[in-house]
Amino acid sequence: MEIVASDFALFEQPEFSFKKLKAKKSTAEITALKTDYQTHWQKWKQLNQTVTLPPAFTVPKVESWTNGWNLRNHFWCAYRGSLRQQEATCLATLLNQKQFQIYLMYQHYKSDAHYKTKSEYNQVLEQVPRWAERHEIGSFYIWDNAEPELHTHLPLAEYLADPAYQNAFRAHLEATDSTFQLGALFYAPGPIVSVTEKIAVYLQALAELYDAI
């Protein structure tokens, strides 16, 4: 299965609020938009639910295509170990109008309720240089969780080539109480081929860092 230009283009919407959409579009137009979203989301769900999972991982949680009040401006799916379902730390996949990503992240809205702190999560940054020696990192990027989703993220190779930047980045995360995200990014318009296989490969690599947290 592939991710193609139309999958990215789905999110190039001028408006995501159902209330505002109803003020601008006919009932038939909104119905057609919902159908289009559901069709693409079913494909997204199938992509993620057929992935060969890393050891000790359980069935991923695929976020809905709507939150009830709005269309999503991206599709998202979380992968967690079977004994770590309540943790803020997870592996994830995301598709928006610009990119498809497979990455390690920390869900900030869960941080008050679940186990590992942001500081504990960020400590794994110290292991990234050695981890990178064991993997092909050409498709990997690293960024601050607080960066806008469509921001142009920093290639991991550039991050690793600059120790001063690494120190500054860690200091910035600590000062802002933020966390890093790290993963493989693939850009529109595609096509991105063998998607389930790509997800499996990159999840397996990132699972080494996930397990270290």
Side-chain angles (χ1 to χ4, degrees), residues 54-55 57 84 91 131 202-212:
F57 275 68
R84 302 177 65 178
L91 300 180
W131 170 86
Y202 287 106
L203 287 182
Q204 187 64 54
L206 290 166
E208 296 177 20
L209 296 175
Y210 174 84
D211 290 343

Side-chain angles (χ1 to χ4, degrees), residues 72-92:
R72 301 285 187 185
N73 60 7
H74 62 227
F75 289 156
W76 185 78
C77 178
Y79 292 78
R80 287 183 167 89
S82 57
L83 301 179
R84 302 177 65 178
Q85 290 297 294
Q86 302 306 314
E87 289 188 19
T89 301
C90 68
L91 300 180

Side-chain angles (χ1 to χ4, degrees), residues 119-130:
S119 178
E120 289 172 318
Y121 171 88
N122 284 334
Q123 286 175 11
V124 83
L125 270 173
E126 298 176 4
Q127 300 187 35
V128 169
R130 184 165 294 180

